Amino acid sequence: MKKIVLFLFCLVTFGAYAQKTFELKSPDGRLVTTVKVGERLTYDIRCNGKQVLADSPLGMTLDDGMTWGESPRLSGTSRKSVDEVIASPLYRRAQVRDHYNGLTLKFKKGWNVEFRAYNDGIAYRFVSRVTKPFNILDEEVSYCFPSDVKATVPYVVPRAKDGTLEAQFYSAFENTYVTDKLSKLDKKRLMFLPLVVETEDGIKVCITESDLESFPGLYLSASEGGNKLTGVHAPYPKKSIQGGHNMLQMLVKEREAFIAKVDGSRSFPWRMAIVAAEDKALAECDMTYLLASPSRIDDISWVKPGKVAWEWWSDWNLDGVDFVTGVNNDTYKAYIDFAAQNGLEYVILDEGWAVNLKADLMQVVKDIDLKELVDYASAKGVGIILWAGYYAFERDMENICRHYAEMGVKGFKVDFMDRDDQEMVDFNYRAAAMCAKYKLLLDLHGMYKPSGLNRTYPNILNFEGVHGLENMKWSTAEVDQVEYDVTLPYIRQVAGPMDYTQGAMRNAVKESFYPCNSEPMSQGTRCRQLALYVVLESPLNMLCDTPQNYAREAECAQFIMDIPTVWDETRVLDGRMGDYIVTARRKGDVWYIGGLTDWQARDIEIDCSFLGNKNYEGVLYKDGVNAHRTGKDYRCVPVELNGNTRLKIHLAPGGGFAIRVK
């Protein structure tokens, strides 16, 4: 009898942990993930039959000792297929196809895991059915690769230099990329998202997240070795003090033992693996936008994208004027006049208009009459956007938004968050909602990657989280911004738009570049700067140079003045990550085509078949014959294009081209 009982016990035990497998395919059948429910919950990814991600565990540990994903007890499953078109205003295309197959695994003790298979990639997320509050101690996120493949990653550059993990949770999320084998990645340094891993077959996997709401952002680490990248999250802040840049930040001095507070049932961020056999597919992927929560603003008719005259890049350094330039009304009126004369929608008053070290946006410096400036701009059809330090905005958010909206200000550029723990992620959502309440735009600077927040709150027109042109004010020639420019469309831009702040009219070849704060320059050619307005996505797009420099370069300036900032259609025509990219965008019946190369001179051929049967006339801005010696050298020539055209263009080292056709 004892033997029978023991046998039955073993049978029950075996049955409880017997592995179940579920296969989920993308609509085109190219991608397949196999989800295994055994002692651990794992998934893998295959592309055209080749494994690109080995079995990788996923889990979430709660403060009651339970770990979702360990010894999971399945209670139900469901599948669905979705194929619909959604409107995507203020985006790279006017509408986006949401086409995927979905699998939901329901487990006992109150949790689910949802998987989606797009033609572009595989995503999953945890969902809690628990209604009572609890804390999450940790989330296990692992990406296990079949071999020691290479990765292109941005390491965290901590603002503090004490070498601790905490120091790495305090950064601007700006860095150029490093490419190396997984085994050779720095095991002591965190990597922020997105990043890209390339398999031995040349298939690229871009890892990022979407719908990051009330949860800390994800970092990855190579510390465990074994061809594996593992997730790291900043714990929840327990004690913070005012400090940092001009006393505008909150510095975390102590953290809790958990990463997130949960008030009740909810979903958690999507973990994404975008899989591309061709590099250009990464640059075209819409998964971050599609996986984000839909808009929470019913009426967005007041949200006006556009271009911005920006003073900070040139250090308020105007020439040919009869007043002393700086943070004063005369300088800003000159920028407002420039914006009005050239059809620019906005002028930013960057750092300096509010009294320094007070963290109080109601205290305006004596040389600024803000109401006068706002009224002056309004009379000329120009909107004013105000820069704000994080803590100054956070501590009095509604009063600030109400006051300046009533004055006629159009929005805020909020800066120096420099964290992505749950507390800071919550701030960004609150700021977006509050700005929407008062019909204010928002540009989130000093910020982590977008993660779809621009879909949820379309009044957020831009994000930083990029090693933008501003870094050239202080970076030495060893910082390769040119190679970065032809890498970020395949990595950072996959997450969403970016406040890169292009438009420099001082352009230097590699040998001539040097940092200069008051008269800064770009690396690469003049045409490269024009092309950046086509290749990069910025619904709120800066003109970084001075009005006088644009007046001296009227032909190039006109291209910038005319270009839209949101699009009806976007196509990445050609490219290779780290080498070059060619992008075409359409607004109405006007097409813009732009291309960039690295420091290697390059001859490219543009297949114009996307133009169809219509004949187009336009203007081509291309590198001049001496652009390899002087970056400002360019030519502007007429072109005729149609669907049969194969346009050949030579790009100088660090060069680019831009075309406007209609």
Side-chain angles (χ1 to χ4, degrees):
M1 185 66 176
K2 289 183 179 179
K3 290 183 178 179
I4 295 174
V5 171
L6 180 61
F7 173 77
L8 291 173
F9 175 79
C10 293
L11 184 63
V12 170
T13 302
F14 177 79
Y17 295 101
Q19 182 169 277
K20 297 183 176 71
T21 62
F22 301 88
E23 190 175 84
L24 182 67
K25 296 182 178 180
S26 61
D28 63 4
R30 185 178 70 92
L31 298 180
V32 180
T33 182
T34 300
V35 183
K36 298 177 181 178
V37 183
E39 292 188 12
R40 298 296 310 275
L41 180 63
T42 68
Y43 78 110
D44 72 352
I45 302 175
R46 300 184 303 281
C47 177
N48 293 325
K50 297 179 180 178
Q51 190 173 61
V52 296
L53 186 72
D55 286 344
S56 299
L58 53 151
M60 198 169 275
T61 302
L62 282 55
D63 58 358
D64 63 0
M66 181 186 300
T67 297
W68 298 343
E70 287 187 0
S71 304
R73 298 174 64 190
L74 193 66
S75 63
T77 67
S78 62
R79 293 179 180 268
K80 65 177 179 180
S81 294
V82 172
D83 190 2
E84 60 184 8
V85 174
I86 63 173
S88 49
L90 311 174
Y91 187 55
R92 67 178 80 169
R93 47 185 123 254
Q95 57 186 26
V96 182
R97 185 183 183 188
D98 195 17
H99 190 199
Y100 67 88
N101 294 323
L103 168 68
T104 297
L105 303 178
K106 185 177 181 180
F107 296 92
K108 295 180 180 180
K109 298 188 178 181
W111 60 285
N112 302 348
V113 178
E114 297 179 1
F115 285 86
R116 289 186 186 178
Y118 289 85
N119 292 337
D120 293 331
I122 304 294
Y124 75 86
R125 68 175 176 183
F126 282 92
V127 177
S128 172
R129 306 193 310 272
V130 179
T131 56
K132 64 180 183 180
F134 62 93
N135 297 326
I136 296 173
L137 301 184
D138 195 18
E139 180 190 6
E140 181 178 16
V141 183
S142 295
Y143 295 93
C144 303
F145 296 92
S147 60
D148 189 16
V149 296
K150 60 181 187 181
T152 300
V153 306
Y155 289 117
V156 167
V157 180
R159 291 199 180 277
K161 305 298 184 183
D162 61 11
T164 63
L165 188 62
E166 175 59 40
Q168 297 189 67
F169 294 143
Y170 176 42
S171 82
F173 303 91
E174 302 173 14
N175 202 359
T176 54
Y177 295 104
V178 171
T179 299
D180 217 331
K181 294 280 191 178
L182 292 175
S183 60
K184 295 183 179 179
L185 295 177
D186 193 330
K187 292 178 172 52
K188 295 181 180 180
R189 297 182 69 183
L190 297 179
M191 298 163 274
F192 59 90
L193 303 183
L195 58 80
V196 167
V197 176
E198 182 177 353
T199 72
E200 293 174 346
D201 299 309
I203 296 170
K204 289 186 171 65
V205 181
C206 181
I207 299 169
T208 190
E209 59 186 340
S210 184
D211 214 25
L212 177 61
E213 181 171 7
S214 198
F215 202 79
L218 177 66
Y219 302 87
L220 290 179
S221 168
S223 60
E224 294 188 13
N227 307 327
K228 182 179 181 182
L229 299 176
T230 55
V232 177
H233 299 86
Y236 194 90
K238 183 177 184 179
K239 180 183 178 182
S240 302
I241 62 170
Q242 184 184 358
H245 176 76
N246 286 335
M247 301 298 288
L248 291 170
Q249 297 175 279
M250 291 300 289
L251 307 180
V252 179
K253 295 301 180 180
E254 188 177 354
R255 292 190 183 269
E256 301 281 4
F258 53 85
I259 65 171
K261 300 176 180 179
V262 180
D263 293 330
S265 58
R266 57 160 295 181
S267 59
F268 295 95
W270 288 101
R271 308 297 175 211
M272 301 160 51
I274 300 163
V275 183
E278 294 184 299
D279 289 11
K280 67 179 184 179
L282 288 181
E284 281 196 320
C285 182
D286 296 314
M287 279 182 63
T288 302
Y289 189 90
L290 289 167
L291 289 165
S293 295
S295 176
R296 295 175 186 171
I297 307 175
D298 293 332
D299 174 22
I300 64 169
S301 60
W302 56 272
V303 180
K304 185 179 180 182
K307 293 183 284 292
V308 184
W310 186 43
E311 22 66 300
W312 186 87
W313 160 262
S314 296
D315 196 30
W316 300 265
N317 193 16
L318 307 182
D319 63 271
V321 297
D322 58 2
F323 56 86
V324 177
T325 60
V327 182
N328 55 52
N329 270 36
D330 286 337
T331 300
Y332 282 113
K333 284 182 177 180
Y335 273 92
I336 292 167
D337 291 342
F338 165 70
Q341 292 161 8
N342 292 281
L344 307 181
E345 290 83 359
Y346 302 103
V347 168
I348 275 187
L349 274 65
D350 215 287
E351 185 175 14
W353 67 270
V355 177
N356 196 24
L357 300 176
K358 298 296 185 181
D360 184 354
L361 295 175
M362 295 299 182
Q363 296 191 40
V364 181
V365 297
K366 61 181 178 62
D367 292 328
I368 292 288
D369 185 328
L370 195 54
K371 181 65 166 63
E372 181 187 350
L373 282 181
V374 173
D375 290 346
Y376 183 83
S378 180
K380 292 176 174 283
V382 177
I384 295 295
I385 296 173
L386 299 177
W387 185 94
Y390 154 68
Y391 181 62
F393 192 77
E394 163 75 319
R395 68 190 296 224
D396 196 21
M397 190 187 298
E398 181 151 19
N399 189 38
I400 289 165
C401 288
R402 181 192 303 112
H403 174 76
Y404 286 111
E406 290 174 352
M407 185 183 289
V409 168
K410 300 302 181 183
F412 287 94
K413 172 183 175 180
V414 184
D415 203 351
F416 286 103
M417 285 73 84
D418 288 353
R419 294 166 26 212
D420 67 348
D421 49 47
Q422 186 185 29
E423 184 177 73
M424 190 57 72
V425 173
D426 284 344
F427 161 77
N428 289 320
Y429 277 79
R430 287 198 315 276
M434 189 64 71
C435 284
K437 179 180 177 179
Y438 292 96
K439 292 184 167 53
L440 294 166
L441 306 177
L442 191 55
D443 177 4
L444 291 172
H445 230 57
M447 169 71 181
Y448 53 85
K449 75 279 183 196
S451 308
L453 188 53
N454 52 308
R455 180 184 179 189
T456 309
Y457 286 99
N459 61 318
I460 304 178
L461 288 180
N462 224 339
F463 305 79
E464 195 180 21
V466 64
H467 192 272
L469 193 66
E470 68 177 50
N471 287 274
M472 295 298 96
K473 285 167 68 75
W474 53 78
S475 295
T476 63
E478 287 71 31
V479 176
D480 194 341
Q481 191 74 6
V482 162
E483 183 171 338
Y484 181 75
D485 290 346
V486 290
T487 307
L488 69 89
Y490 305 95
I491 304 182
R492 164 59 181 86
Q493 192 161 271
V494 175
M498 65 191 79
D499 202 359
Y500 182 94
T501 65
Q502 62 267 44
M505 293 293 104
R506 296 184 73 210
N507 317 110
V509 299
K510 196 176 227 181
E511 295 77 14
S512 302
F513 174 81
Y514 62 91
C516 182
N517 183 68
S518 294
E519 294 185 275
M521 67 192 74
S522 69
Q523 291 183 355
T525 70
R526 169 70 52 76
C527 288
R528 182 181 199 85
Q529 289 296 301
L530 304 186
L532 287 169
Y533 285 96
V534 184
V535 172
L536 304 185
E537 296 174 26
S538 298
L540 190 69
N541 219 340
M542 305 294 159
L543 278 74
C544 70
D545 223 315
T546 67
Q548 289 78 8
N549 282 345
Y550 287 123
R552 284 187 278 268
E553 302 290 349
E555 192 172 54
C556 292
Q558 194 61 55
F559 177 90
I560 299 172
M561 309 302 178
D562 291 342
I563 195 167
T565 64
V566 295
W567 304 92
D568 295 328
E569 185 178 355
T570 292
R571 301 188 182 206
V572 179
L573 304 180
D574 195 12
R576 188 167 58 245
M577 189 175 80
D579 291 339
Y580 71 102
I581 188 168
V582 180
T583 302
R585 302 188 193 268
R586 178 181 62 82
K587 186 70 173 180
D589 60 356
V590 181
W591 280 95
Y592 287 82
I593 310 169
L596 309 169
T597 184
D598 56 6
W599 286 115
Q600 178 179 319
R602 198 176 302 273
D603 294 300
I604 63 170
E605 184 175 272
I606 303 172
D607 179 354
C608 297
S609 57
F610 65 95
L611 295 175
N613 298 321
K614 186 177 178 180
N615 292 317
Y616 290 83
E617 295 182 353
V619 177
L620 164 64
Y621 295 78
K622 65 178 183 177
D623 296 327
V625 295
N626 292 304
H628 64 294
R629 300 181 63 193
T630 176
K632 65 183 180 182
D633 187 35
Y634 77 96
R635 288 188 64 201
C636 183
V637 298
V639 290
E640 295 182 356
L641 304 176
N642 58 46
N644 296 317
T645 304
R646 300 295 185 269
L647 183 64
K648 296 181 179 180
I649 302 175
H650 177 75
L651 280 67
F657 75 90
I659 310 173
R660 182 180 186 268
V661 293
K662 61 180 182 177

